[in-house]
Amino acid sequence: MFDSFKDHGFISISEKADRETLNTIEDNYYIEHNFDPKEYELQKLLSTLNGNPFLNISDVITRRDHLKTQLTAVSKRVSKLILENSSSYTTELQRVTVLTGALQDSIETCHKARRNLRRAQYQITTRNLSLIRNEMRKQQWINVLKNIEKLKKLHSFDQKLKEMVKHEDFVGAIQLYSQCGNTVHHYKEYQCIRDLSTKLQDTLDFIEESIDVTLAKLCSYFNPHTYQRLLNAYRLLGKSLTSMDQLQMHFVNVVQTRTLEILLKTVGTINNEQNLSSYSDLCKMVPEESFASCLHELNVCFWQIIKSYKLIWLWHEKNPPSIESTNSDTPEPSQEFLLQKLESGSSRLWHEIQQKMKTFILENNMTHFKFEAFIQVLK
């Protein structure tokens, strides 16, 4: 504001004198912040003492009169500026007055609208309210029916999963189980869904058990397509690392179970005690006339098992594990790892077969007839 004191021209002598007075105002007085005029003037007077310990009263009065003259000039200039801007003030005041009136009209309009709204609420009939309420209930029932339909489908998934397992579609069954699990988690607040969650877990156990049973069957009769499906299923379950251990265990088990079955069939189930006999005891019970045929069946059985093992080995040599995304964080075993497993497992399997054959021969009294039958079987 004070800059305008120096910029405007003056016409009258008084205004010219005021302008000269305003020009004498020091720049420090135009500082708006952190300026103390009393301290400033006092320091200015002290600087003119020239070694005199006391202030000259005439200097103080002169400085005071000069400051009064400057104050008067400033007051006149401020008054003039106010008068010059009075028209703008009047215009702004009128605009504010108009705006105030518009706001009052808006307030009245709002009050009127609210009164009309309350009146309209009283005038709405019960039938209209019933229509709105019925529409809301309709939407609620539609949502309930949709949820019931989804729950019904979830309950039917259990039978569908078992059908897929029956047809050895293990990959599809596991994928469907995962979808069901996500849906069950979404509707977990329902009691029937919590029961279904337990049932689905039992179904998953059934799927894993069926996969394991199918894997055991491959120990006697290898099928590359079935084996591929089983590996894909183990990959989805995140059990690729343990699948090879399961396979090794099944090969050993099938040697034990198949040899017992052959011996029991040869010996015959005369009484329950024979069913509880060990492999060694059953070897002693083999009749002399059945020795050759039993030995032949054992050799065919062992040959089928070794053949299946070799076919699995060759399959892994020709089909390295593919890198596919799974739902599990378990790493996929490498081809080198699987082949090492098969190599180490072959020694164990061959040792098991040798032990079975050794026990069968030693536990039988090798007569001349049996020896000739043994040689004939080997030929």
Side-chain angles (χ1 to χ4, degrees), residues 50 66 73 76 90 119 154 171 215 287 291 295 301 327 364 373:
N50 296 325
H66 182 67
K76 288 182 180 180
T90 303
R119 190 180 301 112
L154 283 176
V171 173
L215 183 65
F291 176 81
L295 178 62
C301 172
N327 296 329
N364 277 272

Side-chain angles (χ1 to χ4, degrees), residues 51-88:
N52 190 355
F54 301 102
L55 291 173
N56 191 340
I57 190 63
S58 60
D59 293 339
V60 174
I61 293 173
T62 301
R63 185 60 183 168
R64 182 197 64 183
D65 293 340
H66 182 67
L67 290 174
K68 283 184 177 181
T69 303
Q70 290 178 341
L71 178 60
T72 301
V74 170
S75 299
K76 288 182 180 180
R77 185 59 183 156
V78 171
S79 299
K80 183 179 180 181
L81 290 174
I82 292 174
L83 292 176
E84 289 177 353
N85 292 300
S86 61
S87 59
S88 300

Side-chain angles (χ1 to χ4, degrees), residues 36-54:
D36 186 358
K38 299 186 295 299
E39 180 67 22
Y40 175 75
E41 291 296 334
L42 182 59
Q43 292 296 331
K44 190 174 181 180
L45 289 172
L46 292 176
S47 64
T48 60
L49 290 179
N50 296 325
N52 190 355
F54 301 102

